[in-house]
Amino acid sequence: MTDLRLTEQQQNYLLCFTDEHPSRTIIDLSQIFACSRPNAKKMLDRMVKAGILYKQKNDYYVTEIGTLIKDKLEREKQLLALTMQGIFGIEEDRATIFSSQLIGKGENCIACFLSQKSKLFEHLPDPGEKVDGDFLLEILDKKTYPVHLTIFQQHVDEAESAIRPSMANKVFENTAELVIGDSPHVVFTTRPLKKEHKGHMKHGAVKELVYQKDGESHAIAFKDRRAEIPLDVFGQWTYLGGGVLIAYTWFRSYAAVNFSGHRAEANYLLVLNLAQC
């Protein structure tokens, strides 16, 4: 009975019944799937007729057969997410989202995923080649993507060849956001600044980032610990191969700690893994 063929939409409805929400109403499903209540009722009633759900007053519950089917779907969704993590290096949260979106495709779910990603890999440059930010606008859809941020010291220690990580890594979140839209930009997010000094805890925040362009300084203010940096500030991206691009730029940050100011200069490295997009 677990081989009962469900439509993609019926599978998505069924997966909305969880340990936390063992029952659902028409209003619940209409809100989750942004559809009208009559349409949600029609789908639920079809599932009742198929023996997957049963109804008590205004609540719908999963039948024994429905539970077997749901458990099978959950296992397949988990396996799909693990496959995306292991083969494509996609982070757990995004892999879970992708698997939820694709599980209704049945046996074609991996093929659908690869089809969605093929656009990203069809026109990649050769490893070591540099591309402008416009390249990202051509291959990425208009939405938000994760970008990894690491900050390095600008100062080079003459005794060491290695460029050391900056203390700013403790201030900035290590995942930034690449926003592809009408005004493409990268969002940096900071953590609250706390520092003990002579027995007192000082609090502060990064107020702005300053960058150079065409010989002039430009400041970007933080609001609610977030700063939106135009994509073209990062200049060219270098393709490393394997779907990974990096961009490297310099910023001067200004922070206010209690009533004193602090200025620091550092190099900011962005890493974009297209497999995670």
Side-chain angles (χ1 to χ4, degrees), residues 16-120:
C16 289
F17 292 83
T18 63
D19 291 340
E20 186 178 357
H21 299 284
S23 66
R24 289 291 192 179
T25 65
I26 293 171
I27 295 176
D28 289 340
L29 277 302
S30 67
Q31 291 176 344
I32 291 172
F33 293 102
C35 65
S36 67
R37 295 182 186 180
N39 283 343
K41 182 179 185 304
K42 188 182 298 182
M43 177 59 65
L44 290 167
D45 288 343
R46 285 177 183 170
M47 296 174 73
V48 169
K49 188 174 181 180
I52 302 165
L53 303 177
Y54 67 92
K55 185 178 180 182
Q56 287 185 350
K57 295 184 178 180
N58 294 324
D59 294 311
Y60 292 81
Y61 296 83
V62 182
T63 64
E64 185 175 347
I65 293 173
T67 299
L68 293 174
I69 296 172
K70 185 174 75 71
D71 290 346
K72 181 181 178 182
L73 288 173
E74 290 285 3
R75 289 194 298 271
E76 291 174 351
K77 188 174 76 169
Q78 183 180 24
L79 179 60
L80 181 57
L82 290 174
T83 300
M84 291 178 181
Q85 289 176 253
I87 296 178
F88 299 100
I90 297 177
E91 294 176 336
E92 182 178 357
D93 289 347
R94 293 182 68 83
T96 300
I97 293 172
F98 281 137
S99 64
S100 297
Q101 293 171 345
L102 295 171
I103 191 62
K105 305 295 183 182
E107 296 177 356
N108 297 320
C109 57
I110 291 293
C112 290
F113 175 74
L114 293 175
S115 176
Q116 290 180 9
K117 298 301 172 188
S118 63
K119 176 185 173 183
L120 300 179

Side-chain angles (χ1 to χ4, degrees), residues 193 195 197 201-207 253-263:
L193 289 175
K195 185 178 181 180
H197 181 69
M201 185 63 69
K202 291 188 173 183
H203 299 268
V206 179
K207 294 299 184 180
S253 62
Y254 289 93
V257 181
N258 283 4
F259 296 103
S260 63
H262 177 72
R263 185 180 78 173

Side-chain angles (χ1 to χ4, degrees), residues 171-230:
V171 178
F172 286 80
E173 298 288 354
N174 57 19
T175 299
E177 298 174 356
L178 171 61
V179 181
I180 301 298
D182 294 334
S183 300
H185 59 274
V186 175
V187 179
F188 285 174
T189 306
T190 62
R191 305 181 180 101
L193 289 175
K194 294 182 180 180
K195 185 178 181 180
E196 186 175 351
H197 181 69
K198 295 182 179 180
H200 298 281
M201 185 63 69
K202 291 188 173 183
H203 299 268
V206 179
K207 294 299 184 180
E208 66 178 18
L209 289 176
V210 174
Y211 66 93
Q212 298 291 127
K213 188 173 183 181
D214 298 327
E216 296 182 356
S217 296
H218 301 268
I220 300 173
F222 279 80
K223 184 177 180 180
D224 298 328
R225 304 209 314 268
R226 291 167 61 89
E228 297 183 359
I229 303 144

